[in-house]
Amino acid sequence: MQDSKPNSLVIYNTLSRSKEPFEAINPPFVGMYVCGPTVYSDVHLGNSRTFISFDIIYRYLLHLGYKVRYVRNITDAGHLEGDNDEGDDKFAKRAKLEQLEPMEIVQKYTVGFHNVLRAFNTLPPSIEPTATGHILEQIEMIKEIIKNGYAYEVDGTIYFDVEKYSQEFNYGALTNRKLEDLLEGTRELDGQDEKRGRLDFALWIKAKPETLMKWPSPWGWGFPGWHIECSAMSSKYLGETFDIHGGGMDLQATHHTNEIAQSQACSNVDPVKYWVHTNMLTVNGVRMSKTAGNGFLPEELFTGNHRLLERGYSPMTVRFFMCQSHYRSTLDFSNEALQAAEKGYKRLMEAISKIDKIEPSDTSSVSIDEIKNNCYAAMNDDFNTPTLIAHLFDSVRVINSAIDKTETLTSDDIVALKTLMSTFVFEVLGLLDEADAGVGGEVIDGLMSLILDIRKSSREKKDWATSDLIRDQLQKLGVQVKDTKDGTEWRL
Ligand code: AMP
Ligand code: ZN
């Protein structure tokens, strides 16, 4: 199964604005870089959609037999509130608000991010580098860009010279826009501005006396601009040119455009073969975002604790809901859509659990191979998960009809059907059978009370080492334990 049609995958490349056959630069290896979260606040459901979309892309490439190095960064420094290198540092502002150290903010929201992605059953990336862990690499890259003549210093801040760059390269390539049009969309410079050109952006920003997160550099104390971290870390771990670079569509115009410029200006190579962008999750047609204030936290969605939610929805219902739309289409959130997804998810899981009840026949009245080919064709067509799901429901119908004996399947068909469902539903779409996995189910409940009893008795015996070990290990698994006056509570 693994080897059927591995070479017919077609990916939509934002750069060429067309679907292209996927040919890895150095098969079977594939380098994939996805811009990760800015960990100054909780990830909302929109962010989660993007990471779930790339999880499915990652899973499918693995399924096809590629050896994928998946790098997803954590932005933990260098993020100012304005897109134009203006405003407060988001981390410092949040640290002040929560009366924590900036690195406590980073830790808190990184842990939260991991817990959310674990609840959605996403696979961890191969490398998860942080911006603060790669300051030296960023400084080296900036030095190279200055040496090549594409950046200049103004009083300890380094700007990328877009005009100079545009004399040799196409700055607006990713969004297919001309320089004049881009210029028109930005405000005129005034006497206050240090930079020479309206589109110039900061590679390194001089620290103010009150700046908390700062590092020494050849240009004095400062911190990196937002875009340079991804150029520095992607080239470090995946090489100067790599296969796939992804992120949400909102990153195309500035962040990814500037990443291309930085890499070209540093090494004179086009860094990425396939640019992949996911579309936005919206609420009543408005993009879900941290600043718009319409961002549900996944936890609110699971518990139903939000004014827009009629009730809670399980992580796999939400994951299934996301899979029902193509990653390049917008997906609008609504209670009705989630309730429909819940029904669909349950129907799928029930059918899978019934496969073993099918009585084999000597003849087949349906072709499982045809359904399998359709499933591959859907995924090979730019990871078309909604079409894949439609074919998986063809299997659901076959299962139900075989049980009703209105269709017949041989024992080989039944094995093929089981493999097909396990491949596409669990391995590729990354769904779990929640009834089986027992999220809140009887087996997990029983195991948890057993573990908490052991913890309680070790505390009574003042065996702090054991009780701390249990708490820490549970925390690593995403289980939060809280001691209350009525006993110990736990939740995932
Ligand atoms: P941030 O933490 O804001 O840098 O975002 C992390 C990732 O989530 C980026 O790839 C964004 O493009 C993506 N993203 C932000 N908002 C949404 C949304 N409403 N729907 C889908 N993806 C989003
Ligand atoms: Zn990035």
Side-chain angles (χ1 to χ4, degrees):
M1 198 150 195
Q2 209 90 340
D3 292 321
S4 69
K5 306 184 187 163
N7 297 319
S8 55
L9 174 63
V10 164
I11 297 188
Y12 183 88
N13 189 347
T14 314
L15 197 59
S16 64
R17 285 163 290 284
S18 62
K19 286 185 185 171
E20 295 175 10
F22 179 68
E23 279 161 24
I25 296 168
N26 183 23
F29 302 100
V30 169
M32 176 161 101
Y33 187 95
V34 172
C35 289
T38 310
V39 287
Y40 73 98
S41 65
D42 288 305
V43 289
H44 54 65
L45 200 63
N47 305 130
S48 308
R49 182 191 185 199
T50 284
F51 299 123
I52 290 172
S53 298
F54 284 106
D55 183 57
I56 292 169
I57 292 176
Y58 178 42
R59 283 169 175 274
Y60 191 58
L61 291 170
L62 290 176
H63 172 71
L64 292 180
Y66 290 108
K67 302 206 175 319
V68 188
R69 181 178 289 170
Y70 174 19
V71 182
R72 188 184 64 210
N73 69 303
I74 294 276
T75 296
D76 59 350
H79 219 297
L80 300 183
E81 282 187 306
D83 249 357
N84 293 324
D85 310 315
E86 294 150 356
D88 289 336
D89 177 300
K90 287 178 175 167
F91 295 95
K93 196 167 174 192
R94 192 74 183 208
K96 220 180 197 171
L97 198 73
E98 295 195 26
Q99 296 190 318
L100 293 172
E101 279 289 318
M103 281 318 263
E104 277 180 290
I105 293 291
V106 164
Q107 180 69 8
K108 176 176 166 183
Y109 292 111
T110 302
V111 169
F113 169 64
H114 288 156
N115 286 343
V116 166
L117 289 199
R118 200 176 303 118
F120 284 128
N121 195 34
T122 63
L123 299 173
S126 329
I127 307 178
E128 196 170 45
T130 60
T132 55
H134 295 78
I135 299 292
L136 283 179
E137 287 83 350
Q138 297 178 69
I139 291 176
E140 284 309 310
M141 193 162 190
I142 297 169
K143 276 161 63 180
E144 204 59 28
I145 297 173
I146 297 176
K147 198 175 92 195
N148 294 342
Y150 295 104
Y152 57 91
E153 180 188 348
V154 184
D155 185 27
T157 292
I158 310 293
Y159 290 102
F160 189 93
D161 190 339
V162 173
E163 200 174 308
K164 170 83 192 298
Y165 175 80
S166 301
Q167 287 162 12
E168 282 148 81
F169 301 96
N170 179 5
Y171 179 70
L174 195 57
T175 47
N176 195 25
R177 283 189 296 173
K178 294 200 185 78
L179 196 66
E180 305 85 73
D181 299 337
L182 290 170
L183 277 167
E184 224 159 71
T186 48
R187 69 168 177 82
E188 296 274 355
L189 294 181
D190 59 29
Q192 304 282 303
D193 286 292
E194 288 179 333
K195 56 187 185 184
R196 294 183 199 152
R198 276 192 267 172
L199 292 170
D200 294 358
F201 56 92
L203 298 173
W204 185 263
I205 300 163
K206 183 186 178 172
K208 293 184 184 142
E210 68 274 18
T211 304
L212 297 172
M213 293 169 93
K214 57 189 169 196
W215 292 265
S217 79
W219 319 286
W221 284 83
F223 56 94
W226 168 34
H227 317 297
I228 193 76
E229 72 175 85
C230 289
S231 296
M233 296 192 283
S234 60
S235 62
K236 171 162 177 156
Y237 296 112
L238 300 175
E240 279 172 353
T241 301
F242 55 95
D243 299 285
I244 300 175
H245 191 317
M249 270 181 178
D250 55 320
L251 301 181
Q252 263 175 56
T254 310
H255 184 55
H256 291 162
T257 291
N258 291 348
E259 266 189 56
I260 297 176
Q262 290 166 158
S263 299
Q264 293 272 29
C266 177
S267 326
N268 199 12
V269 288
D270 208 352
V272 176
K273 196 163 173 200
Y274 303 90
W275 279 96
V276 177
H277 288 100
T278 53
N279 213 324
M280 297 290 110
L281 181 75
T282 55
V283 186
N284 297 324
V286 178
R287 180 191 148 194
M288 187 179 277
S289 78
K290 287 174 186 166
T291 37
N294 62 355
F296 307 116
L297 304 184
E299 195 181 278
E300 291 167 337
L301 196 64
F302 303 154
T303 57
N305 188 12
H306 190 283
R307 70 189 159 83
L308 289 175
L309 293 169
E310 287 169 13
R311 59 179 172 83
Y313 303 95
S314 77
M316 288 304 117
T317 295
V318 179
R319 186 165 175 128
F320 184 78
F321 164 69
M322 306 239 184
C323 294
Q324 280 181 310
S325 74
H326 188 247
Y327 77 88
R328 280 193 290 116
S329 311
T330 51
L331 172 62
D332 199 49
F333 168 87
S334 75
N335 281 284
E336 297 75 51
L338 270 158
Q339 280 156 25
E342 191 174 71
K343 276 199 194 124
Y345 165 72
K346 283 195 175 143
R347 257 185 73 211
L348 189 59
M349 292 303 138
E350 273 163 23
I352 293 171
S353 69
K354 283 195 300 200
I355 298 180
D356 284 334
K357 298 203 179 97
I358 302 173
E359 278 178 35
S361 161
D362 294 337
T363 54
S364 3
S365 62
V366 272
S367 162
I368 304 299
D369 240 21
E370 193 181 318
I371 304 181
K372 182 182 104 175
N373 291 341
N374 288 341
C375 289
Y376 273 107
M379 283 308 283
N380 283 340
D381 181 15
D382 193 30
F383 313 102
N384 196 327
T385 54
T387 305
L388 168 65
I389 289 178
H391 295 305
L392 292 173
F393 276 103
D394 292 340
S395 304
V396 169
R397 274 187 291 276
V398 168
I399 295 167
N400 290 331
S401 309
I403 286 180
D404 292 349
K405 300 213 165 61
T406 47
E407 300 278 9
T408 55
L409 295 176
T410 64
S411 47
D412 284 352
D413 288 335
I414 298 172
V415 172
L417 195 56
K418 241 179 147 166
T419 312
L420 171 85
M421 293 305 244
S422 128
T423 302
F424 284 100
V425 176
F426 300 122
E427 187 187 332
V428 173
L429 290 181
L431 292 166
L432 292 171
D433 186 346
E434 278 169 343
D436 222 34
V439 181
E442 273 175 42
V443 177
I444 295 275
D445 281 346
L447 285 173
M448 277 307 296
S449 63
L450 180 69
I451 293 166
L452 293 176
D453 281 348
I454 299 173
R455 179 169 169 264
K456 189 166 160 233
S457 94
S458 55
R459 280 161 74 104
E460 281 161 6
K461 283 186 258 164
K462 296 202 175 359
D463 174 6
W464 306 121
T466 306
S467 77
D468 287 352
L469 180 78
I470 293 174
R471 189 203 50 213
D472 294 346
Q473 292 295 332
L474 286 175
Q475 202 164 27
K476 274 193 198 146
L477 292 169
V479 182
Q480 280 178 18
V481 175
K482 201 166 139 197
D483 295 306
T484 68
K485 62 176 170 33
D486 301 321
T488 306
E489 290 171 0
W490 67 274
R491 63 191 177 107
L492 284 170

